[in-house]
Amino acid sequence: MANEDDCRTALDRIAARLAEVDADRLAEHVVERTISCRIPDLGVAYRTRLHVGGLDPFEPAADPAAAQVRLTVDSDDLVALAHDELNPATAWAAGRLRVEASVFDLLRLRRLL
């Protein structure tokens, strides 16, 4: 099982990858949203804000359910996603990644992945 530091590094890696997306493409598909990532096997959650400029730094979240887009993933799967060892669509289909969001937000996120 990955530890909390591994997960923080994985989240930072995902944010860095999003920062590499072309600014025009990002502006076309992104609307400002709060995002939480809950890691149940470690009992922790993080929160960030997605906007045209990318993602704000991830911070510990006291109430991950309050975010507009809510992700739930175990620590090992989060690390695998960050290292491109696990495809997000495959993880979602297998129940290893849970995404709670509006249909419109799901479609926007899909275009960025």
Side-chain angles (χ1 to χ4, degrees):
M1 176 168 65
N3 63 37
E4 194 170 340
D5 288 336
D6 296 333
C7 291
R8 286 294 310 226
T9 300
L11 290 170
D12 291 342
R13 186 179 184 112
I14 291 168
R17 187 178 315 144
L18 187 60
E20 295 172 359
V21 173
D22 178 68
D24 291 335
R25 182 170 176 229
L26 194 63
E28 181 180 339
H29 298 293
V30 169
V31 292
E32 187 171 321
R33 291 288 183 262
T34 55
I35 299 174
S36 67
C37 181
R38 191 170 68 84
I39 307 163
D41 61 327
L42 296 179
V44 297
Y46 296 95
R47 185 177 174 135
T48 187
R49 185 176 62 95
L50 175 67
H51 50 84
V52 175
L55 285 174
D56 287 346
F58 283 91
E59 300 293 333
D63 183 15
Q68 294 162 309
V69 177
R70 296 167 303 283
L71 309 173
T72 303
V73 61
D74 281 336
S75 58
D76 288 337
D77 290 334
L78 176 60
V79 171
L81 286 165
H83 288 96
D84 289 329
E85 297 166 357
L86 180 62
N87 179 286
T90 302
W92 175 80
R96 295 167 67 180
L97 171 65
R98 185 170 161 199
V99 181
E100 298 173 80
S102 73
V103 172
F104 297 113
D105 287 337
L106 290 173
L107 290 173
R108 284 187 193 104
L109 287 172
R110 184 173 168 256
R111 290 183 193 131
L112 288 173
L113 299 174

